[in-house]
Amino acid sequence: MYSNVPLTELGEFLKARRAQLSPRTVGLPESGEVRRVPGLRREEVAQLAGISTDRYARLEQGRGPVSRSVLATLVSVLRLDDDQRDRLFELARSDECEPRRRPPQKVHPQLRRVVGELTATPALVLGRRMDILAWNSLAAALLTDFDRVPEKQRNYARILFTDPAFRELYLDWKTSARTCVGHLRLEAARHPGDPELAALVGELSVVDADFRQWWAGRQMTGLRMGTKRLRHPLAGDLTLDWDSLTCTADPAQKLVIATADPGTPSHDGLRFLASWTAGPDQPAR
């Protein structure tokens, strides 16, 4: 948390920057009405950042305190370049160094082997911010071909909110999507100021109204276990129980698996997909 000191310059910086942006620039619908002031309104910036309008107004009025997580989110929302980003944190007058970007996370070798051995069970390894670190062929057949997703975009929450085909796969999309938002909120609480997480939140806040609403709701939910109902184009309707197992060697990595009760149509559907994707020495990706 940044110290509660007069932040007049910070407020002027924020006002000047939002005046340079239009709703179309940040992905908001334009109503066509004449605006009294140029650029974005305060409430629009607050909505995109997932904070209350009153809290954002206090920032522009120089009435902090300012958290690093909010500043990091504003970097994405206001489309700041590197120099502007540095200026934003400088104006916040922090006594601490801004968190540096962490190196890309790599799946633990033993966890990768486990995923590869699960030939009859869809399995994923999720890392920080729900980045997809590894998967087996059955998970790709069930959900999507993760190989076709650029590595830097390979994030479960991003795909769930931005890929129409992935969204249509879920019969209870809103339940799954809200669980993702709750988990990202928990990650933000554990790692305030994470620039990659702030960029992800800013991106999804811009492209999806449901994400903006749920992020502002402050719900925090860890990945544990539950049930998902899918409508697969090949295997039909599936009801799958999923569980999340934490890697002992790296608690930031979780093995997520999906199963179905033996003898049910969903179990038969998974077996069909497993046979359809079977090949010699299918590795975990």
Side-chain angles (χ1 to χ4, degrees), residues 184-203:
L184 291 179
R185 269 224 160 273
L186 190 61
E187 286 286 303
R190 289 172 175 166
H191 306 286
D194 181 342
E196 286 89 353
L197 179 56
L200 175 64
V201 170
E203 173 191 343

Side-chain angles (χ1 to χ4, degrees), residues 123-174:
L124 296 170
V125 178
L126 299 183
R128 297 188 297 263
R129 304 173 294 273
M130 304 190 77
D131 292 334
I132 300 171
L133 305 182
W135 64 92
N136 61 11
S137 58
L138 187 50
L142 177 66
L143 299 174
T144 191
D145 186 356
F146 296 109
D147 263 327
R148 293 180 178 271
V149 181
E151 185 175 359
K152 291 185 178 180
Q153 302 294 312
R154 207 175 285 153
N155 176 277
Y156 189 88
R158 176 184 284 113
I159 298 172
L160 188 63
F161 277 94
T162 62
D163 185 337
F166 203 71
R167 180 187 291 239
E168 290 178 5
L169 183 66
Y170 287 81
L171 293 175
D172 53 353
W173 178 85
K174 283 196 173 182

Side-chain angles (χ1 to χ4, degrees), residues 258-281:
T259 59
D261 285 334
T264 62
S266 297
H267 186 262
D268 293 340
L270 284 183
R271 292 181 64 185
F272 165 73
L273 281 180
S275 64
W276 184 67
T277 60
D281 303 321

Side-chain angles (χ1 to χ4, degrees), residues 24-46:
R24 179 182 300 176
T25 305
V26 297
L28 291 176
E30 294 191 81
S31 62
E33 65 182 33
V34 178
R35 293 181 168 237
R36 291 180 298 174
V37 294
L40 296 176
R41 298 187 177 102
R42 281 179 176 174
E43 57 267 28
E44 291 170 332
V45 177

Side-chain angles (χ1 to χ4, degrees), residues 6-270:
L7 300 172
T8 306
E9 289 186 73
L10 175 63
E12 293 301 322
F13 177 88
L14 293 174
K15 284 189 284 188
R17 181 55 187 164
R18 69 177 170 87
Q20 298 169 354
L21 301 173
S22 67
R24 179 182 300 176
T25 305
V26 297
L28 291 176
E30 294 191 81
S31 62
E33 65 182 33
V34 178
R35 293 181 168 237
R36 291 180 298 174
V37 294
L40 296 176
R41 298 187 177 102
R42 281 179 176 174
E43 57 267 28
E44 291 170 332
V45 177
Q47 179 186 22
L48 292 171
I51 60 177
S52 68
T53 302
D54 178 69
R55 186 178 182 190
Y56 179 74
R58 290 172 63 87
L59 296 184
E60 288 199 356
Q61 294 164 1
R63 297 188 293 140
V66 192
S67 71
R68 290 188 304 194
S69 59
V70 169
L71 289 175
T73 302
L74 288 174
V75 169
S76 178
V77 168
L78 296 175
R79 304 293 199 273
L80 302 185
D81 60 27
D82 289 343
D83 290 339
Q84 292 169 327
R85 175 173 173 267
D86 292 343
R87 180 59 175 160
L88 176 70
F89 279 90
E90 178 186 341
L91 291 174
R93 303 179 184 180
S94 169
D95 293 330
E96 306 175 32
C97 295
E98 181 189 350
R100 295 184 177 274
R101 294 180 181 269
R102 289 178 284 183
Q105 196 176 14
K106 300 296 183 182
V107 62
H108 191 276
Q110 187 172 343
L111 205 54
R112 182 185 292 277
R113 290 198 299 271
V114 171
V115 172
E117 292 293 329
L118 296 173
T119 57
T121 303
L124 296 170
V125 178
L126 299 183
R128 297 188 297 263
R129 304 173 294 273
M130 304 190 77
D131 292 334
I132 300 171
L133 305 182
W135 64 92
N136 61 11
S137 58
L138 187 50
L142 177 66
L143 299 174
T144 191
D145 186 356
F146 296 109
D147 263 327
R148 293 180 178 271
V149 181
E151 185 175 359
K152 291 185 178 180
Q153 302 294 312
R154 207 175 285 153
N155 176 277
Y156 189 88
R158 176 184 284 113
I159 298 172
L160 188 63
F161 277 94
T162 62
D163 185 337
F166 203 71
R167 180 187 291 239
E168 290 178 5
L169 183 66
Y170 287 81
L171 293 175
D172 53 353
W173 178 85
K174 283 196 173 182
T175 299
S176 297
R178 294 194 75 156
T179 299
C180 283
V181 175
H183 180 72
L184 291 179
R185 269 224 160 273
L186 190 61
E187 286 286 303
R190 289 172 175 166
H191 306 286
D194 181 342
E196 286 89 353
L197 179 56
L200 175 64
V201 170
E203 173 191 343
L204 297 183
S205 294
V206 167
V207 301
D208 193 274
D210 284 327
F211 185 93
R212 290 197 296 272
Q213 177 185 347
W214 297 333
W215 183 262
R218 314 291 180 181
Q219 177 185 359
M220 295 186 187
T221 309
L223 291 179
R224 297 183 182 90
M225 59 189 302
T227 301
K228 295 186 186 296
R229 296 171 54 243
L230 308 178
R231 176 158 291 165
H232 194 274
L234 295 176
D237 288 1
L238 303 172
T239 300
L240 304 177
D241 297 321
W242 65 273
D243 205 344
S244 174
L245 309 175
T246 301
C247 177
T248 303
D250 182 359
Q253 299 188 28
K254 297 183 183 299
L255 173 64
V256 180
I257 58 175
T259 59
D261 285 334
T264 62
S266 297
H267 186 262
D268 293 340
L270 284 183

